[in-house]
């Protein structure tokens, strides 16, 4: 990775990944793109171009203009929004992906795109979900992720594009908010905890999903992309998870640092249905064995850091 093009750079992952890659590879070597510009550090700390990922011609022009050797394709609609607009989701998620893969093929770039625990479905084994298993998702997002994994593998086998991917769990961060996901409750809960010491969850107690703190997710992307290609048996995509909890467990962890924190429930049937169709916890053994996946944050360590960072961000009084 020497010159990297990122799509969806102002989204939840992109906002932080762009900054990390600029630190590692030099600000001028990381070209951030998104459909709109905002006033964030990500948009102004290095090259930025407006790009709608369904515009194949413009994507190719930008890749050639900056002579990129790596494409990180992040632009996508998440699970809950994709259920509201399924045709739009198909066009954006699959149209954007094939454009990005074609661009990588033409300019001979290495390629990364995230998959998700959403690629699994109700017939997938729920516990210790294996790397290679039944994948019959019942959401448009999941259908896009499975098709995307297969398409990225196809570009590797057919055209020799060095495609790699991760099946991300819910990602938790204090920098940019996620939008339209099913796991978003696990981010919102921290914002409400520091501001109001209570949270009404749209996901029911007893519903377990995999999660990961953003610093671990960013390290995983860099480690996978830097991994020796000859060691990779899998490519698209690797199971990766750092923890699994239900709303009661994350609330209990928050209450250790914000005494008196309370959770109650107003379950959203649609996002609950999606959550119940996903695994309880996935097995990351293949990622550990093939490229050394590791993580630093468990639930309590993440909770402590999230509360500290959000308290600073909103200039609130320290809890306790
Ligand atoms: C979502 O909830 O849609 C995402 C994901 C797990 O892919 N956070």
């Amino acid at each position: 990775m020497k010159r990297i093009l990122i799509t969806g750079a102002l989204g939840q992952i992109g906002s932080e990944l762009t900054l990390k890659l600029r630190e590692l590879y030099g600000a001028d070597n990381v070209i951030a793109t998104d459909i709109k510009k905002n006033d964030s550090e990500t948009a102004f700390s290095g090259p930025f171009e407006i790009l709608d990922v369904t515009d194949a011609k413009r994507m190719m022009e930008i890749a050639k203009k900056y002579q990129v050797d790596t494409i990180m394709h992040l632009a996508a609609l998440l699970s809950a929004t994709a259920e509201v607009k399924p045709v739009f989701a198909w066009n954006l998620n699959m149209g954007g992906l094939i454009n990005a893969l074609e661009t990588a093929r033409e300019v001979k770039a290495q390629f990364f795109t995230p998959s998700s625990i959403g690629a699994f479905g109700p017939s997938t084994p729920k516990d210790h979900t294996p790397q290679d298993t039944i994948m019959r998702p019942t959401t448009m997002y999941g259908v896009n992720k499975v098709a995307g994994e297969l398409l990225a593998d196809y570009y590797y086998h057919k055209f020799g594009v060095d495609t790699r991917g991760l099946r991300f769990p819910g990602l938790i961060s204090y920098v940019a908010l996620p939008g339209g996901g099913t796991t978003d409750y696990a981010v919102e809960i921290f914002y409400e905890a520091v501001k109001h010491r209570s949270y009404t969850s749209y996901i029911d107690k007893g519903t377990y999903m995999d999660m990961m703190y953003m610093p671990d997710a960013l390290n995983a992307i860099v480690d996978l992309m830097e991994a020796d290609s000859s060691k990779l048996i899998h490519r698209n995509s690797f199971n990766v998870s750092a923890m699994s909890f239900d709303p009661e467990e994350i609330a209990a962890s928050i209450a250790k640092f914000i005494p008196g924190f309370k959770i109650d429930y107003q379950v959203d049937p649609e996002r609950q249905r999606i959550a119940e169709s996903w695994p309880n916890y996935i097995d990351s053994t293949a990622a550990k064995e093939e490229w050394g996946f590791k993580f630093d944050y468990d639930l309590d360590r993440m909770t402590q850091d999230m509360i500290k960072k959000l308290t600073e961000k909103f200039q609130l009084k320290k809890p306790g």
Side-chain angles (χ1 to χ4, degrees):
M1 289 199 287
K2 293 203 173 68
R3 229 165 148 70
I4 306 160
L5 172 69
I6 305 184
T7 72
L10 302 182
Q12 195 206 7
I13 302 176
S15 299
E16 290 181 64
L17 181 64
T18 304
L19 297 180
K20 183 178 176 89
L21 295 176
R22 282 182 175 155
E23 250 173 62
L24 291 174
Y25 301 99
D28 288 345
N29 293 322
V30 182
I31 296 85
T33 72
D34 211 308
I35 194 152
K36 280 196 278 209
K37 200 167 181 174
N38 62 18
D39 57 6
S40 65
E41 190 190 347
T42 308
F44 286 92
S45 56
F48 182 90
E49 298 276 351
I50 298 285
L51 173 64
D52 171 349
V53 292
T54 62
D55 184 344
K57 190 163 159 276
R58 171 128 178 94
M59 196 187 293
M60 195 72 81
E61 275 167 16
I62 295 172
K64 287 188 174 165
K65 173 177 165 190
Y66 289 95
Q67 300 181 316
V68 300
D69 67 7
T70 307
I71 295 177
M72 299 207 164
H73 177 57
L74 307 179
L77 229 56
L78 294 183
S79 57
T81 314
E83 285 310 280
V84 180
K85 303 182 201 168
V87 176
F88 179 71
W90 175 270
N91 289 335
L92 177 69
N93 291 354
M94 300 315 297
L97 178 60
I98 194 117
N99 290 342
L101 283 164
E102 270 300 292
T103 306
R105 178 164 82 96
E106 170 84 13
V107 303
K108 301 195 177 4
Q110 199 192 15
F111 187 84
F112 172 84
T113 199
S115 184
S116 159
I117 52 168
F120 297 115
S123 52
T124 301
K126 276 216 163 294
D127 300 330
H128 300 291
T129 304
Q131 172 67 35
D132 301 306
T133 187
I134 301 166
M135 302 182 79
R136 308 273 312 165
T138 49
T139 61
M140 175 51 90
Y141 180 67
V143 169
N144 296 164
K145 288 301 182 193
V146 173
E149 288 189 10
L150 295 173
L151 194 60
D153 270 346
Y154 176 82
Y155 267 71
Y156 172 66
H157 291 295
K158 176 89 176 174
F159 303 119
V161 181
D162 182 359
T163 57
R164 306 178 185 199
L166 298 169
R167 285 184 192 134
F168 274 134
L171 298 180
I172 295 165
S173 125
Y174 57 87
V175 176
L177 280 166
T182 302
T183 57
D184 296 6
Y185 93 89
V187 181
E188 289 171 11
I189 195 169
F190 286 108
Y191 280 73
E192 292 303 307
V194 296
K195 289 182 179 166
H196 307 299
R197 295 173 186 243
S198 69
Y199 178 65
T200 302
S201 176
Y202 62 80
I203 293 292
D204 210 356
K205 58 178 85 157
T207 312
Y208 283 79
M209 287 184 278
D210 288 286
M211 303 281 172
M212 193 186 288
Y213 199 31
M214 190 62 88
D216 284 329
L218 302 181
N219 286 337
I221 295 173
V222 173
D223 289 350
L224 172 64
M225 293 303 276
E226 295 285 5
D228 179 349
S229 183
S230 68
K231 302 252 160 61
L232 301 181
I233 301 162
H234 298 86
R235 284 183 164 268
N236 302 285
S237 285
F238 286 92
N239 283 4
V240 283
S241 174
M243 63 191 98
S244 166
F245 53 74
D246 81 330
E248 297 282 284
E249 286 178 17
I250 188 173
S253 177
I254 291 171
K256 287 182 198 167
F257 305 97
I258 303 185
F261 173 73
K262 292 261 175 306
I263 186 166
D264 63 5
Y265 295 87
Q266 210 172 323
V267 174
D268 168 15
E270 182 63 342
R271 283 180 287 184
Q272 183 62 28
R273 174 189 76 82
I274 298 173
E276 282 175 15
S277 77
W278 292 353
N280 294 332
Y281 55 99
I282 60 174
D283 181 322
S284 315
T285 305
K288 288 177 187 155
E289 287 178 357
E290 291 176 40
W291 51 274
F293 167 63
K294 56 189 175 330
F295 56 87
D296 289 330
Y297 288 88
D298 61 11
L299 176 55
D300 281 346
R301 189 161 177 224
M302 174 182 78
T303 298
Q304 191 172 19
D305 200 55
M306 276 294 283
I307 291 170
K308 181 171 174 284
K309 296 289 177 18
L310 287 176
T311 303
E312 286 162 8
K313 181 170 171 170
F314 296 115
Q315 298 177 331
L316 299 165
K317 216 165 100 288
K318 283 209 181 94

